[in-house]
Each structure stands twice: as structure tokens, then as C-alpha cells.
Amino acid sequence: MRHEQIYDVPENKKLIIKLPENFGEHKKVLVIIDDSIDEKKSKLNLLKQASKDSNFLQDIEEVENDFNKIDSETL
């Protein structure tokens, strides 16, 4: 059985994990701590900001123009 849940980290940084009732009689579990949830949100917010950044948009346009030139050349 696999069970995933996101917990808010308290100030004392201690979590108590209550297993689901239907977990069964297993004696061992694997716990993985992944704090990248906030990191992913942060990166998505930066990408949203980049879509409005004039320097970023200019860079994208330059790259696009370079590729358009290459695409139109015959080998």
C-alpha cells in the first residue's frame, strides 16, 4: 500500500504520522522527506514572472530568429 500526504512542518520540526486504518499488519514502512514542494511553487512563480520580463522575451525572440534562419537553409 502507498500513502502520500503533505504535512505542515511545526516550529519544533516534529511530525506524528497516523497511518490509515486499512494499512494492515505491516511491521516496516519507508518514509521519504521531500521539501521540494515549496521549491516547485517558487520556480513556477519565477517562470510566470519571466513571461512578462522584457529582457527574457527579447532573448527568446533572438533565439527564435536564429533558428528561423537555420530552418530556412537547405543542406
Side-chain angles (χ1 to χ4, degrees):
M1 170 183 209
R2 182 177 179 112
H3 174 72
E4 290 184 31
Q5 186 169 343
I6 296 174
Y7 294 90
D8 292 322
V9 179
E11 286 185 28
N12 67 4
K13 299 191 187 240
K14 293 182 181 182
L15 294 176
I16 297 175
I17 300 171
K18 183 168 174 23
L19 298 174
E21 293 296 325
N22 62 344
F23 189 73
E25 299 299 322
H26 302 287
K27 301 292 182 190
K28 293 183 181 183
V29 296
L30 170 64
V31 177
I32 299 172
I33 306 298
D34 182 359
D35 66 349
S36 64
I37 295 167
D38 292 335
E39 186 177 313
K40 289 177 187 175
K41 285 182 184 178
S42 173
K43 287 181 180 180
L44 284 173
N45 286 334
L46 288 174
L47 284 172
K48 288 177 185 177
Q49 291 174 7
S51 69
K52 298 173 187 169
D53 182 86
S54 60
N55 290 332
F56 176 76
L57 295 173
Q58 185 178 359
D59 289 345
I60 294 296
E61 186 177 336
E62 288 176 15
V63 170
E64 188 176 72
N65 288 337
D66 290 343
F67 275 98
N68 285 337
K69 292 175 189 172
I70 294 170
D71 289 343
S72 63
E73 292 178 4
T74 57
L75 297 176

PDB file of all heavy atoms in Angstrom, residues 1 3 8 13-14 23 25 27 29 44-47 51 56 58 64 68-70 72 74:
ATOM      1  N   MET A   1       0.849  -1.180   0.000  1.00  0.00           N
ATOM      2  CA  MET A   1       0.000   0.000   0.000  1.00  0.00           C
ATOM      3  C   MET A   1       0.891   1.237   0.000  1.00  0.00           C
ATOM      4  O   MET A   1       1.926   1.275   0.647  1.00  0.00           O
ATOM      5  CB  MET A   1      -0.890  -0.002   1.242  1.00  0.00           C
ATOM      6  CG  MET A   1      -1.629   1.285   1.438  1.00  0.00           C
ATOM      7  SD  MET A   1      -2.588   1.260   2.952  1.00  0.00           S
ATOM      8  CE  MET A   1      -3.870   2.352   2.474  1.00  0.00           C
ATOM      9  N   HIS A   3       0.796   5.454   0.631  1.00  0.00           N
ATOM     10  CA  HIS A   3       0.013   6.538   1.224  1.00  0.00           C
ATOM     11  C   HIS A   3       0.852   7.807   1.176  1.00  0.00           C
ATOM     12  O   HIS A   3       1.972   7.825   1.667  1.00  0.00           O
ATOM     13  CB  HIS A   3      -0.348   6.189   2.676  1.00  0.00           C
ATOM     14  CG  HIS A   3      -1.022   7.290   3.420  1.00  0.00           C
ATOM     15  ND1 HIS A   3      -2.314   7.666   3.172  1.00  0.00           N
ATOM     16  CD2 HIS A   3      -0.581   8.116   4.388  1.00  0.00           C
ATOM     17  CE1 HIS A   3      -2.638   8.666   3.974  1.00  0.00           C
ATOM     18  NE2 HIS A   3      -1.588   8.964   4.719  1.00  0.00           N
ATOM     19  N   ASP A   8       2.138  20.202   7.150  1.00  0.00           N
ATOM     20  CA  ASP A   8       2.764  21.468   7.514  1.00  0.00           C
ATOM     21  C   ASP A   8       3.780  21.168   8.613  1.00  0.00           C
ATOM     22  O   ASP A   8       3.486  20.423   9.553  1.00  0.00           O
ATOM     23  CB  ASP A   8       1.725  22.473   8.027  1.00  0.00           C
ATOM     24  CG  ASP A   8       0.789  22.935   6.921  1.00  0.00           C
ATOM     25  OD1 ASP A   8       1.262  23.116   5.785  1.00  0.00           O
ATOM     26  OD2 ASP A   8      -0.409  23.116   7.190  1.00  0.00           O
ATOM     27  N   LYS A  13       9.568  21.115  14.458  1.00  0.00           N
ATOM     28  CA  LYS A  13      10.009  20.232  13.362  1.00  0.00           C
ATOM     29  C   LYS A  13       9.818  18.747  13.682  1.00  0.00           C
ATOM     30  O   LYS A  13      10.587  17.904  13.231  1.00  0.00           O
ATOM     31  CB  LYS A  13      11.449  20.529  12.976  1.00  0.00           C
ATOM     32  CG  LYS A  13      11.613  21.953  12.481  1.00  0.00           C
ATOM     33  CD  LYS A  13      12.955  22.165  11.861  1.00  0.00           C
ATOM     34  CE  LYS A  13      13.075  23.630  11.557  1.00  0.00           C
ATOM     35  NZ  LYS A  13      13.271  23.987  10.232  1.00  0.00           N
ATOM     36  N   LYS A  14       8.784  18.442  14.424  1.00  0.00           N
ATOM     37  CA  LYS A  14       8.464  17.052  14.729  1.00  0.00           C
ATOM     38  C   LYS A  14       7.097  16.732  14.132  1.00  0.00           C
ATOM     39  O   LYS A  14       6.135  17.469  14.346  1.00  0.00           O
ATOM     40  CB  LYS A  14       8.445  16.817  16.233  1.00  0.00           C
ATOM     41  CG  LYS A  14       9.806  16.950  16.872  1.00  0.00           C
ATOM     42  CD  LYS A  14       9.746  16.666  18.355  1.00  0.00           C
ATOM     43  CE  LYS A  14      11.118  16.821  18.987  1.00  0.00           C
ATOM     44  NZ  LYS A  14      11.084  16.512  20.421  1.00  0.00           N
ATOM     45  N   PHE A  23      -4.283   0.072   6.745  1.00  0.00           N
ATOM     46  CA  PHE A  23      -2.869  -0.146   6.472  1.00  0.00           C
ATOM     47  C   PHE A  23      -2.465  -1.602   6.621  1.00  0.00           C
ATOM     48  O   PHE A  23      -1.571  -2.080   5.963  1.00  0.00           O
ATOM     49  CB  PHE A  23      -1.998   0.752   7.368  1.00  0.00           C
ATOM     50  CG  PHE A  23      -0.562   0.729   6.970  1.00  0.00           C
ATOM     51  CD1 PHE A  23      -0.126   1.366   5.819  1.00  0.00           C
ATOM     52  CD2 PHE A  23       0.371   0.044   7.728  1.00  0.00           C
ATOM     53  CE1 PHE A  23       1.188   1.322   5.433  1.00  0.00           C
ATOM     54  CE2 PHE A  23       1.694   0.007   7.361  1.00  0.00           C
ATOM     55  CZ  PHE A  23       2.109   0.647   6.204  1.00  0.00           C
ATOM     56  N   GLU A  25      -1.131  -5.116   8.757  1.00  0.00           N
ATOM     57  CA  GLU A  25      -0.258  -5.524   9.861  1.00  0.00           C
ATOM     58  C   GLU A  25       1.228  -5.411   9.505  1.00  0.00           C
ATOM     59  O   GLU A  25       2.053  -6.121  10.057  1.00  0.00           O
ATOM     60  CB  GLU A  25      -0.584  -6.973  10.247  1.00  0.00           C
ATOM     61  CG  GLU A  25      -2.009  -7.174  10.733  1.00  0.00           C
ATOM     62  CD  GLU A  25      -2.326  -6.356  11.988  1.00  0.00           C
ATOM     63  OE1 GLU A  25      -1.451  -6.238  12.863  1.00  0.00           O
ATOM     64  OE2 GLU A  25      -3.446  -5.821  12.068  1.00  0.00           O
ATOM     65  N   LYS A  27       5.058  -4.368   9.449  1.00  0.00           N
ATOM     66  CA  LYS A  27       5.943  -4.025  10.560  1.00  0.00           C
ATOM     67  C   LYS A  27       6.948  -2.936  10.197  1.00  0.00           C
ATOM     68  O   LYS A  27       7.577  -2.366  11.056  1.00  0.00           O
ATOM     69  CB  LYS A  27       6.704  -5.267  11.036  1.00  0.00           C
ATOM     70  CG  LYS A  27       5.804  -6.386  11.503  1.00  0.00           C
ATOM     71  CD  LYS A  27       5.084  -6.020  12.768  1.00  0.00           C
ATOM     72  CE  LYS A  27       4.235  -7.186  13.223  1.00  0.00           C
ATOM     73  NZ  LYS A  27       3.333  -6.892  14.278  1.00  0.00           N
ATOM     74  N   VAL A  29       7.871   0.499   7.384  1.00  0.00           N
ATOM     75  CA  VAL A  29       7.444   1.429   6.340  1.00  0.00           C
ATOM     76  C   VAL A  29       8.659   2.236   5.895  1.00  0.00           C
ATOM     77  O   VAL A  29       9.636   2.374   6.627  1.00  0.00           O
ATOM     78  CB  VAL A  29       6.334   2.402   6.826  1.00  0.00           C
ATOM     79  CG1 VAL A  29       5.075   1.654   7.182  1.00  0.00           C
ATOM     80  CG2 VAL A  29       6.809   3.249   7.972  1.00  0.00           C
ATOM     81  N   LEU A  44       7.841  27.872 -10.373  1.00  0.00           N
ATOM     82  CA  LEU A  44       6.712  28.181 -11.253  1.00  0.00           C
ATOM     83  C   LEU A  44       6.392  29.671 -11.226  1.00  0.00           C
ATOM     84  O   LEU A  44       6.099  30.270 -12.258  1.00  0.00           O
ATOM     85  CB  LEU A  44       5.472  27.369 -10.854  1.00  0.00           C
ATOM     86  CG  LEU A  44       5.502  25.906 -11.257  1.00  0.00           C
ATOM     87  CD1 LEU A  44       4.299  25.170 -10.659  1.00  0.00           C
ATOM     88  CD2 LEU A  44       5.499  25.760 -12.762  1.00  0.00           C
ATOM     89  N   ASN A  45       6.474  30.276 -10.049  1.00  0.00           N
ATOM     90  CA  ASN A  45       6.243  31.721  -9.946  1.00  0.00           C
ATOM     91  C   ASN A  45       7.296  32.504 -10.715  1.00  0.00           C
ATOM     92  O   ASN A  45       6.984  33.498 -11.372  1.00  0.00           O
ATOM     93  CB  ASN A  45       6.204  32.167  -8.487  1.00  0.00           C
ATOM     94  CG  ASN A  45       4.917  31.764  -7.797  1.00  0.00           C
ATOM     95  OD1 ASN A  45       3.890  31.596  -8.447  1.00  0.00           O
ATOM     96  ND2 ASN A  45       4.968  31.595  -6.498  1.00  0.00           N
ATOM     97  N   LEU A  46       8.551  32.056 -10.661  1.00  0.00           N
ATOM     98  CA  LEU A  46       9.614  32.722 -11.422  1.00  0.00           C
ATOM     99  C   LEU A  46       9.375  32.603 -12.922  1.00  0.00           C
ATOM    100  O   LEU A  46       9.609  33.550 -13.674  1.00  0.00           O
ATOM    101  CB  LEU A  46      10.976  32.142 -11.049  1.00  0.00           C
ATOM    102  CG  LEU A  46      11.503  32.504  -9.666  1.00  0.00           C
ATOM    103  CD1 LEU A  46      12.787  31.736  -9.377  1.00  0.00           C
ATOM    104  CD2 LEU A  46      11.746  33.999  -9.561  1.00  0.00           C
ATOM    105  N   LEU A  47       8.898  31.437 -13.362  1.00  0.00           N
ATOM    106  CA  LEU A  47       8.589  31.268 -14.782  1.00  0.00           C
ATOM    107  C   LEU A  47       7.456  32.190 -15.222  1.00  0.00           C
ATOM    108  O   LEU A  47       7.491  32.754 -16.312  1.00  0.00           O
ATOM    109  CB  LEU A  47       8.232  29.809 -15.084  1.00  0.00           C
ATOM    110  CG  LEU A  47       9.388  28.833 -15.144  1.00  0.00           C
ATOM    111  CD1 LEU A  47       8.878  27.405 -15.257  1.00  0.00           C
ATOM    112  CD2 LEU A  47      10.297  29.161 -16.315  1.00  0.00           C
ATOM    113  N   SER A  51       7.764  35.355 -18.108  1.00  0.00           N
ATOM    114  CA  SER A  51       6.938  35.531 -19.306  1.00  0.00           C
ATOM    115  C   SER A  51       6.552  36.986 -19.530  1.00  0.00           C
ATOM    116  O   SER A  51       6.076  37.342 -20.607  1.00  0.00           O
ATOM    117  CB  SER A  51       5.681  34.665 -19.213  1.00  0.00           C
ATOM    118  OG  SER A  51       4.821  35.155 -18.197  1.00  0.00           O
ATOM    119  N   PHE A  56      13.993  38.853 -20.971  1.00  0.00           N
ATOM    120  CA  PHE A  56      13.774  37.437 -21.265  1.00  0.00           C
ATOM    121  C   PHE A  56      13.076  37.277 -22.606  1.00  0.00           C
ATOM    122  O   PHE A  56      13.478  36.457 -23.438  1.00  0.00           O
ATOM    123  CB  PHE A  56      12.954  36.791 -20.140  1.00  0.00           C
ATOM    124  CG  PHE A  56      12.596  35.359 -20.402  1.00  0.00           C
ATOM    125  CD1 PHE A  56      13.541  34.355 -20.256  1.00  0.00           C
ATOM    126  CD2 PHE A  56      11.315  35.014 -20.786  1.00  0.00           C
ATOM    127  CE1 PHE A  56      13.218  33.035 -20.490  1.00  0.00           C
ATOM    128  CE2 PHE A  56      10.974  33.692 -21.023  1.00  0.00           C
ATOM    129  CZ  PHE A  56      11.931  32.699 -20.879  1.00  0.00           C
ATOM    130  N   GLN A  58      13.061  39.317 -25.112  1.00  0.00           N
ATOM    131  CA  GLN A  58      13.977  39.706 -26.170  1.00  0.00           C
ATOM    132  C   GLN A  58      14.959  38.563 -26.473  1.00  0.00           C
ATOM    133  O   GLN A  58      15.235  38.272 -27.641  1.00  0.00           O
ATOM    134  CB  GLN A  58      14.744  40.962 -25.782  1.00  0.00           C
ATOM    135  CG  GLN A  58      15.639  41.503 -26.876  1.00  0.00           C
ATOM    136  CD  GLN A  58      16.343  42.784 -26.447  1.00  0.00           C
ATOM    137  OE1 GLN A  58      16.143  43.273 -25.336  1.00  0.00           O
ATOM    138  NE2 GLN A  58      17.165  43.308 -27.318  1.00  0.00           N
ATOM    139  N   GLU A  64      14.775  32.546 -31.359  1.00  0.00           N
ATOM    140  CA  GLU A  64      13.788  32.146 -32.364  1.00  0.00           C
ATOM    141  C   GLU A  64      14.221  32.603 -33.754  1.00  0.00           C
ATOM    142  O   GLU A  64      14.142  31.836 -34.732  1.00  0.00           O
ATOM    143  CB  GLU A  64      12.422  32.735 -32.012  1.00  0.00           C
ATOM    144  CG  GLU A  64      11.296  32.216 -32.879  1.00  0.00           C
ATOM    145  CD  GLU A  64       9.965  32.774 -32.413  1.00  0.00           C
ATOM    146  OE1 GLU A  64       9.729  33.982 -32.623  1.00  0.00           O
ATOM    147  OE2 GLU A  64       9.190  32.000 -31.852  1.00  0.00           O
ATOM    148  N   ASN A  68      15.044  30.324 -36.975  1.00  0.00           N
ATOM    149  CA  ASN A  68      14.310  30.527 -38.225  1.00  0.00           C
ATOM    150  C   ASN A  68      15.273  30.596 -39.405  1.00  0.00           C
ATOM    151  O   ASN A  68      14.996  30.075 -40.469  1.00  0.00           O
ATOM    152  CB  ASN A  68      13.457  31.787 -38.166  1.00  0.00           C
ATOM    153  CG  ASN A  68      12.217  31.600 -37.319  1.00  0.00           C
ATOM    154  OD1 ASN A  68      11.759  30.481 -37.122  1.00  0.00           O
ATOM    155  ND2 ASN A  68      11.682  32.692 -36.809  1.00  0.00           N
ATOM    156  N   LYS A  69      16.405  31.237 -39.215  1.00  0.00           N
ATOM    157  CA  LYS A  69      17.426  31.308 -40.275  1.00  0.00           C
ATOM    158  C   LYS A  69      17.962  29.924 -40.601  1.00  0.00           C
ATOM    159  O   LYS A  69      18.125  29.568 -41.762  1.00  0.00           O
ATOM    160  CB  LYS A  69      18.556  32.240 -39.842  1.00  0.00           C
ATOM    161  CG  LYS A  69      18.179  33.687 -39.749  1.00  0.00           C
ATOM    162  CD  LYS A  69      19.325  34.506 -39.209  1.00  0.00           C
ATOM    163  CE  LYS A  69      18.864  35.939 -38.909  1.00  0.00           C
ATOM    164  NZ  LYS A  69      19.892  36.706 -38.210  1.00  0.00           N
ATOM    165  N   ILE A  70      18.230  29.150 -39.571  1.00  0.00           N
ATOM    166  CA  ILE A  70      18.754  27.795 -39.782  1.00  0.00           C
ATOM    167  C   ILE A  70      17.714  26.935 -40.471  1.00  0.00           C
ATOM    168  O   ILE A  70      18.030  26.158 -41.373  1.00  0.00           O
ATOM    169  CB  ILE A  70      19.178  27.162 -38.441  1.00  0.00           C
ATOM    170  CG1 ILE A  70      20.359  27.911 -37.852  1.00  0.00           C
ATOM    171  CG2 ILE A  70      19.516  25.690 -38.617  1.00  0.00           C
ATOM    172  CD1 ILE A  70      20.708  27.513 -36.435  1.00  0.00           C
ATOM    173  N   SER A  72      15.453  27.742 -42.528  1.00  0.00           N
ATOM    174  CA  SER A  72      15.202  28.082 -43.930  1.00  0.00           C
ATOM    175  C   SER A  72      16.370  27.710 -44.840  1.00  0.00           C
ATOM    176  O   SER A  72      16.248  27.720 -46.052  1.00  0.00           O
ATOM    177  CB  SER A  72      14.897  29.575 -44.056  1.00  0.00           C
ATOM    178  OG  SER A  72      16.025  30.340 -43.652  1.00  0.00           O
ATOM    179  N   THR A  74      19.008  25.282 -46.748  1.00  0.00           N
ATOM    180  CA  THR A  74      18.969  23.914 -47.279  1.00  0.00           C
ATOM    181  C   THR A  74      20.337  23.274 -47.083  1.00  0.00           C
ATOM    182  O   THR A  74      21.370  23.941 -47.159  1.00  0.00           O
ATOM    183  CB  THR A  74      18.605  23.904 -48.762  1.00  0.00           C
ATOM    184  OG1 THR A  74      19.552  24.707 -49.476  1.00  0.00           O
ATOM    185  CG2 THR A  74      17.199  24.431 -48.987  1.00  0.00           C
TER     186      THR A  74
END
